[in-house]
Amino acid sequence: MTTPTTPTAPSAAPLQRRFGLLHATALNMINMIGIGPFITIPLLMTALGGPQAMLGWAIALVIVICDGMIWSELGAAMPHSGGSFGYLREAFGREQLGRLMAFLFVWQFILSGPLEIASGYIGFSQYLGYIWPSASPRLLLGVAAVVGLVNIALLYRRITSIAKITVSLWIGTLLTTAAVIATGAFHFDPKVAFDFPPGAFTFSLGFLIGLGAASRIGVYDYLGYYDICYIGDEVANPGRVIPRSILLSTLAVAAIYFLINLSIIGVVPWREFVPADAHPQSAFIVSIFMEKIYGPNVATVFTVMVLWTAFGSVFALLLGYSRVPYAAARDGYFFAPFARLHPTAGFPTVSVVVLGLIAIAACMFSLAVVIDALIATRILVQFIGQIAGVMRLRRVNPEMPRPYRIWLYPVPAFVALAGWLFIFLTTNVQVIAFGLGLLLLGVVAFGLWSRTHAARQPLV
């Protein structure tokens, strides 16, 4: 294999590097805090049958901090837009294994991205159930589909005020989160919060599998700690800003999630919503939390705020995620139809519609299954692939400029690798088979695509 080269700057006029540390940290946090903390607490507690499930959440924090160092070294060394797509391509060689890895990243992203969006649609329908208690599960599923169609319709046009829309949605998210934390702080009961069941920490195979499930929920809540890497071309002083923004946003969101979790279980006894599938009210646990303190009227208003937050998250996700397969296809690394732009509005039509429709279809599955499948599909190519990539770059291109180097390397890389393997191997066997099958199918699709585009050279 030839030595990978440092990517050259694009021939077009460069984007302005205007994202400083504050902006970059805020961008990561905007994508990390969405509907997640309001829909995952019952699943987290169900994983281990009590508040000891917070241990899995702590393990997830260790994994993402170590993995954040991987992103930091790659992002600081290659501060260009594209994130994992570019890192995998450069680490393994543009016309060698890197071409396959870049293709597989986009291949899995076409499913994992919509799965993440679908979790927001599912959360929306669950909380709507609090306001509309007579609605059947099938009707709520229909509502989730309608929300998905509305989301596609909003993005199927030229949007000239995306920044204003995003800021307004983010303000709603902050207000909702602050309301939960402030309420919990004034009504917290440690006897309720730390009511551990007998044998809560007894080690067994069941405990290990439950710990893996809790860790997957924790990782889902943290997703987005690396989002600044996708717009590396617009980051000022990326060697400093990218690593610091990843660390700061991860620690800040960890603190917020910790406070939200304690706020809920310190007011609502965990036995009232665990196991989640046996307690319908677990679907809108934060509404129940507000109702216990302020009554149903305030809880209804708060539920509307959660719905606002849920829609804000899915709007931002579909907006950003639809650009990933578009950019890959435009540069000659994925199926050409995904590179199509609307003739007048200039947005990626195929990407928006395909990802949007897959997200709607994924709403047919339970939230737990959607989260498991989402994490499993990303682990093999994106997370583990980048760990191998950063190690390979260290070996074959030691002179590559690295403004940030992983602390205590290679320890964090091996910790992240062990963590991702632990989460993957403790997943349901069917989900593991699904993840491996999707990867194998991606290799077959790559072979077919390569034959069709053998003579085509990438544009960048």
Side-chain angles (χ1 to χ4, degrees), residues 358-409:
I358 294 176
I360 293 173
C363 293
M364 294 186 296
F365 301 96
S366 70
L367 180 63
V369 170
V370 166
I371 291 176
D372 282 354
L374 158 64
I375 301 300
T377 53
R378 287 194 182 174
I379 284 177
L380 295 177
V381 175
Q382 185 174 25
F383 297 133
I384 292 182
Q386 287 187 172
I387 293 172
V390 79
M391 289 182 169
R392 185 175 187 275
L393 280 173
R394 285 267 189 138
R395 178 173 57 85
V396 302
N397 198 356
E399 303 304 318
M400 181 181 190
R402 292 177 174 82
Y404 169 86
R405 300 176 71 90
I406 297 171
W407 301 337
L408 303 176
Y409 179 85

Side-chain angles (χ1 to χ4, degrees), residues 176-429:
T176 306
T177 303
V180 173
I181 294 175
T183 300
F186 286 106
H187 299 86
F188 180 77
D189 185 348
K191 293 181 180 179
V192 174
F194 304 115
D195 178 23
F196 294 103
F201 297 99
T202 300
F203 184 80
S204 65
L205 179 60
F207 179 86
L208 196 64
I209 293 174
L211 188 61
S215 300
R216 282 193 301 279
I217 299 299
V219 167
Y220 167 80
D221 284 337
Y222 287 120
L223 287 180
Y225 56 92
Y226 41 73
D227 272 21
I228 190 61
C229 294
Y230 287 110
I231 59 167
D233 283 314
E234 300 176 71
V235 180
N237 192 8
R240 173 181 177 273
V241 168
I242 288 178
R244 294 189 180 190
S245 66
I246 290 175
L247 179 60
L248 290 175
S249 59
T250 300
L251 294 178
V253 170
I256 290 172
Y257 279 162
F258 181 72
L259 292 174
I260 290 178
N261 281 323
L262 283 184
S263 296
I264 301 299
I265 65 174
V267 173
V268 183
W270 62 268
R271 288 180 174 84
E272 293 185 7
F273 57 87
V274 172
D277 56 3
H279 296 82
Q281 67 271 24
S282 68
F284 36 79
I285 186 62
V286 183
S287 298
I288 298 299
F289 163 78
M290 299 299 284
E291 181 182 297
K292 277 183 172 288
I293 298 172
Y294 300 118
N297 292 333
V298 172
T300 298
V301 173
F302 181 81
T303 302
V304 173
M305 295 173 65
V306 174
L307 296 177
W308 177 271
T309 298
F311 186 78
S313 67
V314 296
F315 175 86
L317 286 173
L318 184 56
L319 170 65
Y321 285 1
S322 63
R323 273 57 179 175
V324 173
Y326 157 73
R330 178 200 60 195
D331 294 344
Y333 284 86
F334 203 63
F335 295 108
F338 283 90
R340 292 176 186 168
L341 291 175
H342 191 277
T344 58
F347 65 90
T349 55
V350 174
S351 282
V352 169
V353 173
V354 170
L355 269 64
L357 292 180
I358 294 176
I360 293 173
C363 293
M364 294 186 296
F365 301 96
S366 70
L367 180 63
V369 170
V370 166
I371 291 176
D372 282 354
L374 158 64
I375 301 300
T377 53
R378 287 194 182 174
I379 284 177
L380 295 177
V381 175
Q382 185 174 25
F383 297 133
I384 292 182
Q386 287 187 172
I387 293 172
V390 79
M391 289 182 169
R392 185 175 187 275
L393 280 173
R394 285 267 189 138
R395 178 173 57 85
V396 302
N397 198 356
E399 303 304 318
M400 181 181 190
R402 292 177 174 82
Y404 169 86
R405 300 176 71 90
I406 297 171
W407 301 337
L408 303 176
Y409 179 85
V411 174
F414 285 121
V415 170
L417 177 61
W420 292 128
L421 289 175
F422 168 68
I423 288 178
F424 185 76
L425 295 176
T426 54
T427 306
N428 183 282
V429 174

Side-chain angles (χ1 to χ4, degrees), residues 52-68:
Q52 68 272 23
M54 293 288 286
L55 180 60
W57 181 83
I59 289 175
L61 177 59
V62 173
I63 293 173
V64 299
I65 286 179
C66 291
D67 191 63

Side-chain angles (χ1 to χ4, degrees), residues 151 154-155 157-172 308 311-312 315-316 319:
N151 201 21
L154 286 176
L155 291 170
R157 65 189 68 204
R158 183 188 300 277
I159 299 178
T160 57
S161 57
I162 291 177
K164 292 181 180 178
I165 293 174
T166 303
V167 169
S168 63
L169 294 173
W170 174 234
I171 289 174
W308 177 271
F311 186 78
F315 175 86
L319 170 65

